Amino acid sequence: MCGIVGFVGQKQAAPVLLEGLRQMEYRGYDSAGVAVRSETKGLQVRKSKGRLQVLADLTHNGADLEGTLGIGHTRWATHGEPNDVNAHPHVSGDGKIALVHNGIIENYLELKEQLTRQGVAFTSETDTEVAAHLLEFHYQECGNMLEAVGRCLRRIEGSYAFGIICSDYPNALIAARKDSPLIIGFGEGENFIASDATAIIRHTRDVAYMNDGEIAVLTAESVDVFDDELNPLEKEHSRIDWDAASAEKGGFPHFMFKEILEQPEALQKTIFPRIREGRVVLDDIRLTEDYVKSISHIYMIACGSAYHAGVVGKYTWERLLRRPVEVALASEFRYSGPLVDEHTLVIAISQSGETLDTMAALREAKRLGGRTLAICNVVGSSIAREADDVLYTWAGPEIAVATSKGYSTQLAALNLVGLYLADLLGTVEKSEYDAILMELQALPEKMRRYLENFEDTKYFASRFFNHDSIFFIGRNLDYAMGLEGSLKLKEISYIHSEAYASGELKHGTISLIEPGTLVVALGTYAALFDKAMSNVVEVKARGATVLAVTTEGFRERMEKTADAVVAVPETHPLLQPSLSIVPLQLFAYYVALQRGCDIDKPRNLAKSVTVE
């Protein structure tokens, strides 16, 4: 969610900070600010509620702030409403220290009470201001900023990524990290910190990923990293290998639209390198045949769209592996007393690899003795590093808050792993294995074919955009797909939308159907198409307007009953959601466009949720 960028070098810092923050706007935010230190003016802090452009106008794109050392932040409000006072950076009482923070300080009230008794006056409602005053207290106590940071962090409970500057240290940028992403960027005569590589890729591709408990001190010429006891560490460098242009719109009206159209290419990158000589080959993971045969239970843990990918995965894996698969919301998993042991495989799914709920669930699974496999997109992310194995989706940067290619590549990765495990277990017939593998490789081209002509979806969006409540219904894999289609719609159009298993209609949901209600009926799963049709008839009898999504082979039958039909190419039944989700993504996009919504940055949402 919140974005951090820091710079120390030879050139003016403020324009670099603003540029970096602009590249992270997609993460979601409601205020922004920068702090820059200069020789003549000391610490200069500027912050404002609203879009980053407000801050850019306030500082004339950073030109007003002299100095070559600074920090910047985009805030997504947690403690205190979005306003200028609660925006970051926050400053110590003596005005010497400024800091920015991602995460949650869980014991901030206790610390605030202690500091208040010592005469500290607070101006904001945030937990972050507590850290600024606490750091000032320890700095006055010991006279050394690095030591003060170490003492401060030992008293803080919760999650954090900090960027810190002090007027007494004109050339030093300090960073610290626990449970919230932060990377170091290495340049020539300049160095950076950022919560996202997109903020600094225009300046450097040479990065290091900070681990929990680490503190870094950056100057223009050097980077020193320490553990939580201030012992020096050697950090491994990594290289960002994706093109900076892929994080730009490239002439498209929105990142979401661009990323929907990028899905065939993203699928190719996920699938093709992992199929060799008619077999799925996963060089990235170390699941032996003996271990796989010992698995008694599988969990898929995730949040949001990744959770919906897991729901699809449950249906496909149970059919392929003949093992029980449970999909758990990561935010509930570790509090539910999960039954995990050494015979449990836990799949953690996260686009960013920094989703805090998923990371906490992953750690709980490891603590209980389970084996963990991460499916994520960001190389070097926390979840990727902490899991026993990781399978990267290689989707490239995804900027729109509402995921599209992130979700579709997660489905592809789950299909690859499912086939791989089924092959080791011997639970899938060779003929079916070969059929699925052939269709998996055909997915990108079939998706391209659909994306060459989707005018009908665009038209139906213009016809139905003014509905205030929409229901998605489907069975089995169609139900799983409906969960994601419904989420896409509510995320970016703000229409109330819910997905239901069609068989549950009679058990309460059908009471909500009245004349004119829009129902999106999903009938792409061939084995249950007749039942899907009966549910269409059922809601039509109550006056519903039905927009149906089906396959090309079932189009004619569906058109006899539904009010509007979108058809997608056919593939193997277990892979059908990978194609059928695309019109639902496009429908959500065009509905939001018709309603004038901020599609790439929907209200109250963040791309990477790094707090619980």
Side-chain angles (χ1 to χ4, degrees):
M1 59 170 79
C2 306
I4 285 176
V5 63
F7 172 79
V8 56
Q10 310 300 328
K11 56 194 174 192
Q12 189 178 10
V16 176
L17 300 175
L18 288 171
E19 177 198 13
L21 294 177
R22 194 167 286 113
Q23 300 306 318
M24 292 189 290
E25 282 192 285
Y26 72 93
R27 292 169 68 94
Y29 70 102
D30 43 48
S31 62
V34 294
V36 178
R37 189 220 180 259
S38 81
E39 292 291 339
T40 58
K41 297 182 180 179
L43 288 187
Q44 309 155 84
V45 178
R46 302 288 187 275
K47 50 188 183 176
S48 62
K49 176 185 174 182
R51 291 300 183 200
L52 186 62
Q53 190 59 46
V54 178
L55 180 64
D57 293 342
L58 182 67
T59 62
H60 295 93
N61 288 317
D64 294 350
L65 304 177
E66 65 180 58
T68 60
L69 168 68
I71 49 177
H73 190 267
T74 49
R75 175 180 186 253
W76 192 81
T78 54
H79 294 72
E81 66 180 79
N83 59 33
D84 293 358
V85 175
N86 289 329
H88 297 211
H90 286 282
V91 181
S92 60
D94 61 7
K96 287 188 173 184
I97 300 168
L99 59 80
V100 292
H101 166 227
N102 289 352
I104 297 289
I105 299 174
E106 294 175 355
N107 62 335
Y108 85 101
L109 282 175
E110 174 189 340
L111 295 171
K112 188 172 185 177
E113 289 171 0
Q114 294 172 7
L115 291 165
T116 300
R117 288 195 294 270
Q118 295 169 11
V120 173
F122 289 84
T123 59
S124 79
E125 304 167 83
T126 68
D127 56 337
T128 302
E129 190 185 2
V130 172
H133 291 296
L134 184 64
L135 185 54
E136 176 190 0
F137 170 80
H138 286 297
Y139 180 52
Q140 291 176 348
E141 183 181 56
C142 68
N144 179 283
M145 181 54 66
L146 181 59
E147 174 63 29
V149 170
R151 294 184 185 186
C152 180
L153 298 183
R154 283 190 282 275
R155 294 182 61 185
I156 287 176
E157 298 172 7
S159 60
Y160 55 76
F162 283 119
I164 304 164
I165 59 175
C166 176
S167 58
D168 291 344
Y169 290 76
N171 303 309
L173 168 62
I174 299 178
R177 187 252 199 218
K178 178 179 178 289
D179 291 339
S180 196
L182 202 59
I183 63 174
I184 299 166
F186 302 88
E188 293 292 331
E190 58 188 21
N191 290 301
F192 308 81
I193 61 168
S195 50
D196 192 315
T198 57
I200 60 174
I201 192 173
R202 285 159 182 78
H203 303 281
T204 182
R205 294 175 177 271
D206 184 10
V207 302
Y209 298 92
M210 293 188 70
N211 293 320
D212 281 355
E214 293 181 349
I215 304 170
V217 179
L218 293 76
T219 69
E221 303 298 337
S222 66
V223 175
D224 296 301
V225 182
F226 306 88
D227 65 15
D228 55 4
E229 296 298 328
L230 302 184
N231 299 307
L233 299 171
E234 290 292 327
K235 292 295 292 182
E236 179 182 352
H237 288 225
S238 299
R239 179 172 174 78
I240 302 169
D241 57 7
W242 45 266
D243 187 354
S246 61
E248 298 175 351
K249 286 183 186 176
F252 290 94
H254 297 93
F255 278 111
M256 184 179 180
F257 185 61
K258 172 177 178 278
E259 288 157 7
I260 289 172
L261 298 184
E262 287 175 343
Q263 287 179 110
E265 180 185 359
L267 285 176
Q268 279 186 212
K269 292 179 179 177
T270 304
I271 297 168
F272 286 13
R274 289 161 171 145
I275 298 176
R276 296 198 291 271
E277 298 179 358
R279 279 284 176 272
V280 176
V281 180
L282 301 181
D283 296 327
D284 308 328
I285 65 176
R286 300 155 299 179
L287 296 173
T288 65
E289 183 176 348
D290 286 344
Y291 171 74
V292 171
K293 288 182 176 178
S294 78
I295 294 171
S296 61
H297 192 84
I298 298 169
Y299 279 103
M300 294 184 181
I301 52 174
C303 304
S305 292
Y307 171 79
H308 297 156
V311 178
V312 175
K314 170 186 168 63
Y315 284 113
T316 58
W317 280 34
E318 286 190 336
R319 174 166 162 178
L320 290 171
L321 308 184
R322 311 313 302 161
R323 296 288 193 278
V325 179
E326 184 173 345
V327 189
L329 289 165
S331 56
E332 293 292 324
F333 177 81
R334 66 178 175 136
Y335 303 115
S336 64
L339 302 177
V340 175
D341 59 23
E342 66 271 20
H343 302 297
T344 306
L345 177 63
V346 179
I347 313 296
I349 312 169
S350 168
Q351 191 280 140
S352 68
E354 301 291 351
T355 312
L356 189 57
D357 286 320
T358 306
M359 192 170 4
L362 176 83
R363 290 171 178 170
E364 177 67 5
K366 288 173 69 75
R367 186 187 71 80
L368 294 171
R371 185 173 182 89
T372 56
L373 167 63
I375 292 176
C376 70
N377 188 36
V378 180
V379 176
S381 57
S382 299
I383 289 172
R385 285 181 284 133
E386 293 194 25
D388 296 313
D389 292 287
V390 58
L391 193 74
Y392 289 112
T393 54
W394 297 333
E398 187 175 64
I399 306 302
V401 168
T403 183
S404 52
K405 65 178 181 177
Y407 171 83
S408 58
T409 54
Q410 286 167 355
L411 289 185
L414 285 169
N415 287 323
L416 286 166
V417 179
L419 280 174
Y420 178 79
L421 297 178
D423 195 22
L424 289 177
L425 288 169
T427 52
V428 59
E429 294 290 336
K430 184 179 185 304
S431 58
E432 183 167 32
Y433 181 96
D434 291 343
I436 296 173
L437 203 60
M438 181 178 69
E439 285 297 321
L440 196 56
Q441 294 172 91
L443 276 180
E445 186 54 39
K446 290 188 175 185
M447 191 179 289
R448 281 194 190 94
R449 193 175 93 205
Y450 173 77
L451 287 169
E452 288 172 356
N453 182 13
F454 50 83
E455 287 301 313
D456 55 351
T457 306
K458 187 176 179 180
Y459 165 70
F460 294 140
S462 70
R463 181 175 160 188
F464 299 128
F465 75 92
N466 57 352
H467 285 263
D468 294 323
S469 187
I470 298 176
F471 297 99
F472 287 68
I473 60 172
R475 292 174 182 264
N476 200 276
L477 287 168
D478 280 335
Y479 165 61
M481 180 180 63
L483 291 170
E484 176 61 10
S486 174
L487 178 62
K488 283 285 125 337
L489 188 66
K490 71 178 73 172
E491 278 182 314
I492 62 171
S493 74
Y494 315 142
I495 292 174
H496 170 257
S497 171
E498 299 296 338
Y500 294 97
S502 299
E504 285 295 291
L505 279 171
K506 298 184 187 69
H507 299 284
T509 310
I510 203 164
S511 67
L512 298 172
I513 305 298
E514 57 188 17
T517 300
L518 180 62
V519 173
V520 179
L522 308 174
T524 72
Y525 187 50
L528 297 176
F529 179 78
D530 289 338
K531 288 189 178 295
M533 282 297 302
S534 70
N535 293 128
V536 171
V537 172
E538 193 173 24
V539 295
K540 285 282 292 180
R542 272 79 179 173
T545 300
V546 175
L547 168 62
V549 177
T550 189
T551 60
E552 291 169 344
F554 286 124
R555 179 202 288 268
E556 187 175 343
R557 289 179 61 188
M558 186 64 84
E559 284 178 335
K560 293 177 181 178
T561 306
D563 298 280
V565 177
V566 174
V568 297
E570 293 181 65
T571 184
H572 189 281
L574 296 187
L575 305 180
Q576 196 64 57
S578 294
L579 290 176
S580 304
I581 191 60
V582 181
L584 301 185
Q585 295 168 342
L586 286 166
F587 181 71
Y589 172 80
Y590 281 112
V591 165
L593 193 64
Q594 289 281 346
R595 293 169 71 94
C597 300
D598 191 346
I599 291 173
D600 285 336
K601 299 186 284 290
R603 67 189 183 201
N604 301 329
L605 296 180
K607 183 66 177 173
S608 177
V609 182
T610 55
V611 296
E612 286 191 273

